[in-house]
Amino acid sequence: MTPRIPAQAIIRGAANIKGGDNPPFTAADFKEIYPQFWDEEGKPLVPQAVLDMYIAFVDSFVKASRYHEAWKVCMSLAIAHLLVLYLRTMSADPDSGAIGVIKAAETKGLVASKSVDGVSVSYDFSTALADLDGWADWKTTEYGIQFITYAKNYMRGGMYVW
């Protein structure tokens, strides 16, 4: 006689939702993979509190139970992506006031065309904003693109919410 598998176990497996706790992941682990986020003196390019915040945030959704041997690289790619977005907003001159802060936080599109003498640049925002219900800003950095490549491959399977 074949043992019966409870329906909940079948649904849980088909849902493709992974949970559980991750092994520890620290700023030192991240630095091992992406040392370019530290200056010559060994200080992070962002405040330590920001780095720690992004490590904790990424730890909440990049699960070792899903990514297995690629977990560390996926953690690092997601953290690097978020740090680049953070650093983009940090380009505001402290003396520029609210206008400078707003300008630094504007969505960055892909350069669609350039002119030299007339100093004209046009941007294409369709790639970054086309599917805000999909991967949205993950497509705006090379780190994000690499992360979603892993994520799409590791997330194959259905989804069912009980």
Side-chain angles (χ1 to χ4, degrees):
M1 175 175 227
T2 308
R4 292 190 59 175
I5 300 171
Q8 292 247 298
I10 294 169
I11 291 168
R12 195 174 321 124
N16 199 20
I17 297 172
K18 306 290 184 185
D21 292 330
N22 288 333
F25 188 91
T26 65
D29 295 319
F30 178 67
K31 185 178 182 181
E32 239 177 68
I33 296 174
Y34 288 118
Q36 62 266 39
F37 285 92
W38 275 259
D39 65 17
E40 321 65 58
E41 298 168 10
K43 293 181 182 175
L45 298 178
V46 300
Q48 187 67 47
V50 171
L51 179 58
D52 293 341
M53 174 187 67
Y54 282 135
I55 290 171
F57 175 57
V58 171
D59 186 66
S60 73
F61 66 88
V62 177
K63 295 296 178 186
S65 60
R66 173 174 306 282
Y67 295 100
H68 306 285
E69 67 284 342
W71 173 73
K72 269 191 171 182
V73 81
C74 289
M75 285 285 294
S76 297
L77 287 167
I79 294 164
H81 167 77
L82 294 169
L83 289 178
V84 167
L85 296 181
Y86 176 85
L87 287 167
R88 283 181 184 165
T89 64
M90 296 303 295
S91 65
D93 177 358
D95 298 327
S96 65
I99 299 298
V101 172
I102 291 166
K103 185 88 174 134
E106 287 178 342
T107 302
K108 308 293 189 255
L110 300 172
V111 175
S113 65
K114 291 186 210 181
S115 298
V116 176
D117 283 340
V119 188
S120 172
V121 177
S122 64
Y123 294 92
D124 176 10
F125 291 93
S126 63
T127 302
L129 303 177
D131 66 344
L132 287 176
D133 57 340
W135 293 97
D137 81 333
W138 289 98
K139 296 184 293 185
T140 62
T141 72
E142 290 301 317
Y143 302 110
I145 291 168
Q146 290 176 63
F147 173 71
I148 62 176
T149 300
Y150 278 100
K152 283 182 175 184
N153 285 305
Y154 279 92
M155 290 177 145
R156 301 282 185 222
M159 185 79 131
Y160 178 86
V161 179
W162 184 259

